[in-house]
Amino acid sequence: SEHRISAAHFFDAANAQPCTEIPQKLAEMASPACRGTIVPAPSYDAEADAGVLRKAMKGLGTDEDAIINLLVKRSNAQRQEISKKFKVMYGKDLIKELKSELSGNLENAVLALMETRYEAKLLRRAIKGAGTDEECLIEILCTRSNAEIQQIKQAYKAEYRRDLEKDVAGDTSGHFKRLLVSLCQGAREESMEVDMAKAQKEAWELYQAGEKKWGTDESVFNKIITVRSFPQLRATFDAYVKIAQRD
């Protein structure tokens, strides 16, 4: 698109300080409170679930509560298995059946639950057209696991026959572009162990590269923010606050 994202979205150019949005988003990922609420159902039977959905949509009227109560308690992988089982059992496409039975916001919400490439579509929407939704890029690329990043890239390629990294790089610029390209690699450390000595050392490096320097050494921020695990980053940011006396 014509709109270009400058380094100011990652670094506060006026004060040569790191932008708080990305570090805060990454720090949140290490918090116990920041965990997904939809997990695979332990007592799960795709065949039985397909039967529940068929019953909810068969005949006059639709049992919307039954559909909602089932789908929100299944992981996306389980929903895809249910969809396949539904077609095998009844010779009908579950997505088309849901579309014909539901409407309005409920239809949109349920169909979003059934999406296999939802995040890929969000990213495409974020970089397609006259503007760039940088908040969407940050929200997805900063917070997904390595495996999820690879899955999103594959889904993007399958859906649009385009390369996600190239599209992101083509719609952004400067240090923000390099940050996103690094995140697209899906190569973040994923250990839950925290090295407090390293956190202290790298917090000081961030301070030296930012607040204590005229201008900002963005490469230091990029290396730490895109490589370290979420728990390690949380410890680093906590140490940074103590050193800089600000977050």
Side-chain angles (χ1 to χ4, degrees):
S1 69
E2 291 300 318
H3 175 71
R4 310 285 290 186
I5 299 177
S6 71
H9 288 275
F10 183 30
F11 297 91
D12 182 346
N15 299 308
Q17 307 300 341
C19 171
T20 59
E21 182 177 359
I22 293 173
Q24 284 175 351
K25 183 63 64 178
L26 292 167
E28 287 169 6
M29 293 303 297
S31 170
C34 187
R35 296 289 184 272
T37 57
I38 298 179
V39 296
S43 55
Y44 158 71
D45 184 334
E47 183 172 329
D49 286 353
V52 170
L53 292 175
R54 173 62 174 162
K55 182 180 179 181
M57 296 185 286
K58 187 177 180 180
L60 294 175
T62 303
D63 189 345
E64 296 177 347
D65 288 341
I67 294 172
I68 295 168
N69 289 334
L70 190 148
L71 293 180
V72 300
K73 295 176 182 176
R74 302 292 183 267
S75 67
N76 188 269
Q78 289 177 333
R79 293 186 209 113
Q80 304 315 313
E81 291 178 10
I82 294 168
S83 183
K84 292 177 182 177
K85 183 66 70 173
F86 190 94
K87 181 170 282 189
V88 170
M89 293 171 63
Y90 305 110
K92 294 185 177 183
D93 184 274
L94 178 57
I95 303 298
K96 291 181 179 179
E97 290 295 294
L98 290 169
K99 283 183 177 180
S100 69
E101 295 291 331
L102 304 174
S103 63
N105 291 334
L106 178 59
E107 177 188 357
N108 294 335
V110 169
L111 293 181
L113 287 173
M114 297 302 299
E115 280 275 11
T116 58
R117 300 169 180 170
Y118 186 63
E119 288 167 316
K121 290 181 178 179
L122 289 178
L123 288 171
R124 181 61 182 156
R125 191 182 306 161
I127 57 182
K128 183 181 179 182
T132 303
D133 185 350
E134 57 266 25
E135 290 184 6
C136 178
L137 297 179
I138 293 170
E139 177 70 31
I140 294 176
L141 295 178
C142 280
T143 62
R144 299 308 186 260
S145 69
N146 293 339
E148 288 170 335
I149 291 290
Q150 299 305 327
Q151 290 168 1
I152 290 169
K153 288 165 64 176
Q154 292 169 9
Y156 191 92
K157 173 77 80 174
E159 185 75 17
Y160 303 109
R161 297 185 180 180
R162 300 175 66 91
D163 184 84
L164 175 61
E165 181 183 326
K166 289 181 179 178
D167 280 356
V168 168
D171 210 54
T172 56
S173 65
H175 303 296
F176 188 68
K177 168 184 174 179
R178 289 194 279 277
L179 172 77
L180 295 181
V181 167
S182 295
L183 291 171
C184 280
Q185 306 315 302
R188 182 183 299 284
E189 296 169 353
E190 295 192 313
S191 171
M192 298 305 291
E193 298 296 322
V194 174
D195 184 333
M196 295 306 298
K198 179 184 287 185
Q200 187 69 29
K201 174 178 176 292
E202 294 188 336
W204 181 251
E205 289 177 3
L206 290 174
Y207 180 67
Q208 293 280 72
E211 296 209 21
K212 204 175 180 185
K213 179 180 178 183
W214 180 258
T216 303
D217 186 351
E218 294 85 359
S219 64
V220 175
F221 287 86
N222 198 91
K223 178 191 71 173
I224 294 172
I225 284 174
T226 63
V227 173
R228 298 296 177 246
S229 68
F230 295 127
Q232 185 68 34
L233 284 173
R234 181 59 178 259
T236 300
F237 295 151
D238 286 345
Y240 181 92
V241 170
K242 294 178 182 178
I243 293 171
Q245 297 299 306
R246 54 170 285 175
D247 55 18

